[in-house]
Amino acid sequence: MKRRHRRIAFIVAGLVGLGVAAALVLSAFQNNLVFFFSPSQVVAKEAPVNRTFRVGGLVEAGSLKRDNDGLTARFKVTDTAQTIPVVYKGILPDLFKEGRGCVAQGHVGPDGVFYADQVLAKHDENYMPPEAGKAIDQAKAAKTLVDK
């Protein structure tokens, strides 16, 4: 094999290897990408089906119920315009309370219930996840326009 042909083969092999590595990195990134949706967007079916995503808002007062197994919690998350029921099996964070902000990560089942794998609670009175705060503000603005 001539020196020129070896060099071309080496360059082609390098480009193929680089392409495979880039495809693997992008595939891993796509599988771990989790988007945020408000309850209004979930009710409007804007959220992905059969994919993990996050939903956030306020825990509706009086909606927190615990099953007899001690681990399963059922509650509703609202953005003041729409409400979505959430089921979570696990230990809730210490700061999780009704009337406070939370973000749940999971998927929507065929019954319209959000099955959470993870629940995050805000850490103090002044903090609200930016996405959840924006969704609540938009829902309040939309509700004000409808009421007028």
Side-chain angles (χ1 to χ4, degrees), residues 15-31:
L15 289 174
V16 168
L18 188 62
V20 168
L24 289 174
V25 167
L26 290 174
S27 174
F29 182 70
Q30 182 67 24
N31 290 338

Side-chain angles (χ1 to χ4, degrees), residues 18 30 43 51 59 104 126:
L18 188 62
Q30 182 67 24
V43 170
R51 291 245 4 213
V59 178
N126 300 320

Side-chain angles (χ1 to χ4, degrees), residues 18-59:
L18 188 62
V20 168
L24 289 174
V25 167
L26 290 174
S27 174
F29 182 70
Q30 182 67 24
N31 290 338
N32 292 322
L33 192 63
V34 180
F35 290 105
F36 177 88
F37 292 91
S38 69
S40 294
Q41 291 173 312
V42 174
V43 170
K45 307 244 187 262
E46 294 177 19
V49 179
N50 298 327
R51 291 245 4 213
T52 298
F53 64 93
R54 289 182 177 178
V55 65
L58 300 173
V59 178

Side-chain angles (χ1 to χ4, degrees), residues 38-41 43 55-61 76-84 99-101 128 132-144 146-147:
S38 69
S40 294
Q41 291 173 312
V43 170
V55 65
L58 300 173
V59 178
E60 194 172 81
K76 293 181 180 178
V77 175
T78 183
D79 61 3
T80 67
Q82 296 289 337
T83 301
I84 183 168
R100 294 204 178 170
M128 170 76 67
K134 184 177 177 184
I136 289 172
D137 292 342
Q138 287 174 346
K140 284 181 182 177
K143 191 174 183 181
T144 304
V146 171
D147 291 343

Side-chain angles (χ1 to χ4, degrees), residues 103-118:
V103 175
Q105 181 174 317
H107 66 280
V108 175
D111 54 358
V113 175
F114 187 82
Y115 294 95
D117 303 322
Q118 183 180 19

